[in-house]
Structures are given as structure tokens and as C-alpha cells.
């Protein structure tokens, strides 16, 4: 078990039992594998509601979708902002499943809190300590993605910032780290999953879609591997028509592919004493 002077609240020494985070009845960190799925970006009301209905039908428990999008290029689609948040809220009202969306800046927290059930911190903000401290004062669960070059200690220290401000509901997310390899978008570091489970009581999910691999045909095998490694859930990009998606279509599953994925990971979950 890794010991550090950089954090204490996230450790099993502080809390031996697993933290289970309840999001409107969806429990993350227990025996059930929770799948969060949806489009990289909210593009329209029709699109988002259609995706929400389909992912729920196939077993996803939480809808993910970007309303405020951090993009590498300033010319890329930046999201619909508050309009996108309203669309996500409408999809939740129709499907009765919680929503998770990214918060980019301290000035956005109050607005996003009005709509979202879980606030996501992207890898670019994984060490934005002002943002992390502000999120520590809100009463919503936080999905904290690992920074693209963050070590395990840096990852857990980021979570410590949130817990230290009074918010114990942090969900960690492995989403790939930057290495020398160019065959995939990043290198999905599944070894961190059992390390996290040994070191902290916080739940951890894995994102094999986004920066984890960046390749649609690798999502299924890496999802199965993540569950076998001990992940508490998966974050999967799903789009009604990936070929024309405004954001990251090459790593999004269509509805048929998502249905097949859900069938396959049920088998792996059962094999490791869990369920979907």
C-alpha cells in the first residue's frame, strides 16, 4: 500500500471501508458496475434525448454529455453552454437517470450545479487547485479525471483538495496518460486501478473511449480489462451517428456497438463477482 505525506483523507488508513457514492439512487463503488454513457458533446435536444433513451435501455445508469467543452483548438466545437445544460436536464426528466457534465472554471460551478447531478473535472483541470477547492465546498459528487501526466500521488493529492474542503463524494477516473506510444491517443493505465483500490477508499471508474485509447475498436477489450482489474464503472462515449459527430466521433460507439459492449461486460462482471 502506498503511503504519502501529501494526503490523508483519501487513504484507507483514514477510512478502511469503501466509499459508496449515492447519486439519486445510483450507487457507485459497490458490487454493481455502473456505466456512464452518452455523447462527448451535447449537440441538440433531439440527439441527446434519443441517446439517453437508448443507453438506458441497454443498461447505462448515468447520462454523460459535454455542455461546456474544453478543446485543444479554439476553432473546434466548444459546446452549447447553458442551453446544453438545459437539454441534459430535460433528458434526465424524461429518462429518470442522473447526468454528469464537465465544469471548466470556478465561475461555472454555480451554473453547472443548478443542472448536473455529478460535476466532472477534466484532465486539463486535474491540478487546478482553485477549482478543486471550490468543488470541495459544493454538495454535488465530483468525477475527477486523472491528469494526462499525473502520477498516482498527484492524482490522489488532487482528490485530497476536494475532500479537505468538506466534500467526501469524489469518483476517480482513469482516462489514459501521455506516453511515447502513438498507436493510441494515450496509454490507458489499468495498473492504477488495483493501486487505487489498495490505497484509497474512493471509487474509481475507467474511461476507455476518450483519451484512454481514442479508437472505437479498442473500447470493448479495454472495458472488459478495466472491470477485470477492479474498476467500479465505465465512462463510454455513445453517439446516434458517430460519423457526423461534432466531437470525437472516431471514439464513439453507435447504439448497436454499445448494446454488444453491455452484453460482453456483463459476463466479465459476473466472473469477478460483480454485476451490471
Amino acid at each position: 500500500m502506498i503511503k504519502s505525506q501529501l494526503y490523508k483523507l483519501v487513504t484507507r488508513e483514514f477510512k478502511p471501508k469503501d466509499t459508496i457514492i449515492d447519486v439519486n439512487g445510483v450507487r457507485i463503488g459497490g458490487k454493481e458496475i455502473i456505466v456512464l454513457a452518452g455523447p462527448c458533446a451535447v449537440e441538440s435536444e433531439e440527439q441527446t434525448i434519443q441517446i439517453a433513451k437508448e443507453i438506458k435501455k441497454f443498461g447505462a445508469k448515468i447520462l454523460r454529455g459535454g455542455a461546456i467543452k474544453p478543446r485543444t483548438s479554439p476553432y473546434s466545437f466548444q459546446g452549447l453552454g447553458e442551453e446544453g445544460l438545459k437539454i441534459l436536464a430535460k433528458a434526465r426528466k424524461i429518462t429518470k437517470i442522473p447526468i454528469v457534465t464537465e465544469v471548466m472554471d470556478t465561475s461555472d460551478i454555480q451554473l453547472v450545479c443548478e443542472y448536473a447531478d455529478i460535476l466532472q473535472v477534466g484532465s486539463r483541470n486535474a491540478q487546478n487547485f482553485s477549482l478543486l477547492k471550490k468543488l470541495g465546498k459544493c454538495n454535488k459528487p465530483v468525477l475527477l479525471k486523472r491528469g494526462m501526466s499525473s502520477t498516482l500521488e498527484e492524482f490522489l493529492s488532487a482528490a485530497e483538495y476536494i475532500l479537505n474542503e468538506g466534500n467526501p463524494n469524489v469518483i476517480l477516473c482513469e482516462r489514459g496518460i501521455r506516453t511515447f506510444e502513438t498507436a493510441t491517443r494515450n496509454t490507458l493505465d489499468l495498473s492504477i486501478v488495483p493501486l487505487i483500490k489498495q490505497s484509497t477508499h474512493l471509487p474509481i471508474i475507467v474511461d476507455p473511449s476518450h483519451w484512454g485509447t481514442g479508437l472505437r475498436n479498442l473500447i470493448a477489450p479495454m472495458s472488459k480489462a478495466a472491470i477485470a482489474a477492479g474498476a467500479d464503472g465505465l465512462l463510454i462515449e455513445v453517439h446516434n451517428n458517430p460519423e457526423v459527430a461534432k466531437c470525437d466521433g472516431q471514439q464513439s460507439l453507435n447504439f448497436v456497438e454499445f448494446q454488444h459492449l453491455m452484453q460482453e461486460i456483463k459476463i466479465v462482471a459476473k466472473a469477478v463477482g460483480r454485476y451490471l
Side-chain angles (χ1 to χ4, degrees):
M1 185 177 295
I2 294 175
K3 296 181 182 294
S4 174
Q5 300 301 314
L6 301 177
Y7 44 80
K8 59 180 180 180
L9 300 177
V10 302
T11 66
R12 286 201 178 274
E13 286 83 359
F14 179 80
K15 184 184 178 187
K17 293 184 68 175
D18 289 342
T19 288
I20 298 177
I21 297 174
D22 191 304
V23 186
N24 298 349
V26 178
R27 291 166 57 83
I28 302 173
K31 285 286 187 182
E32 184 179 11
I33 303 292
I34 302 299
V35 175
L36 306 83
C40 177
V42 173
E43 299 172 12
S44 70
E45 181 178 309
E46 181 182 10
Q47 167 241 17
T48 304
I49 292 173
Q50 181 188 13
I51 293 172
K53 289 178 177 178
E54 290 294 319
I55 63 160
K56 180 183 180 181
K57 180 170 69 176
F58 298 131
K61 295 297 176 67
I62 296 174
L63 171 66
R64 60 76 52 91
I68 305 169
K69 291 298 301 176
R71 304 300 300 279
T72 301
S73 170
Y75 306 113
S76 299
F77 179 59
Q78 303 290 312
L80 297 178
E82 187 172 6
E83 180 188 351
L85 293 171
K86 290 178 179 178
I87 290 171
L88 286 168
K90 186 169 184 178
R92 175 182 55 206
K93 184 177 182 180
I94 292 171
T95 61
K96 310 301 182 188
I97 59 175
I99 57 176
V100 55
T101 193
E102 186 165 353
V103 58
M104 286 280 295
D105 191 87
T106 55
S107 61
D108 297 327
I109 292 176
Q110 184 174 353
L111 173 65
V112 178
C113 273
E114 291 178 17
Y115 296 95
D117 301 295
I118 306 173
L119 307 183
Q120 177 180 307
V121 177
S123 62
R124 293 175 178 85
N125 274 318
Q127 289 185 299
N128 181 340
F129 302 123
S130 296
L131 179 63
L132 298 178
K133 286 192 283 187
K134 287 283 188 181
L135 290 170
K137 295 182 184 299
C138 75
N139 62 354
K140 294 288 181 77
V142 176
L143 193 159
L144 176 64
K145 287 199 167 187
R146 183 184 183 184
M148 63 184 71
S149 299
S150 290
T151 64
L152 174 61
E153 284 206 335
E154 290 167 339
F155 191 17
L156 293 181
S157 295
E160 187 82 5
Y161 268 93
I162 301 171
L163 270 70
N164 192 47
E165 294 294 331
N167 186 349
N169 297 313
V170 175
I171 305 154
L172 302 172
C173 181
E174 162 59 29
R175 43 73 72 199
I177 54 175
R178 181 171 287 175
T179 69
F180 57 83
E181 182 56 70
T182 58
T184 54
R185 197 171 186 180
N186 275 300
T187 298
L188 193 62
D189 180 18
L190 293 184
S191 66
I192 204 171
V193 174
L195 281 170
I196 289 285
K197 302 297 279 188
Q198 293 165 21
S199 304
T200 177
H201 52 87
L202 298 175
I204 179 167
I205 67 172
V206 171
D207 178 357
S209 300
H210 195 209
W211 289 87
T213 64
L215 298 171
R216 185 182 298 129
N217 61 352
L218 295 183
I219 293 173
M222 297 312 291
S223 295
K224 290 181 278 189
I227 293 173
D232 297 302
L234 299 168
L235 186 64
I236 306 293
E237 291 194 359
V238 179
H239 197 280
N240 56 315
N241 190 353
E243 285 68 30
V244 298
K246 291 184 178 180
C247 178
D248 293 337
Q250 75 279 4
Q251 62 204 28
S252 299
L253 301 181
N254 62 34
F255 297 148
V256 172
E257 292 166 334
F258 182 66
Q259 180 183 16
H260 289 163
L261 171 67
M262 295 296 283
Q263 292 169 344
E264 291 175 356
I265 61 178
K266 282 181 182 177
I267 299 170
V268 180
K270 184 177 180 180
V272 296
R274 303 182 77 172
Y275 66 95
L276 197 63

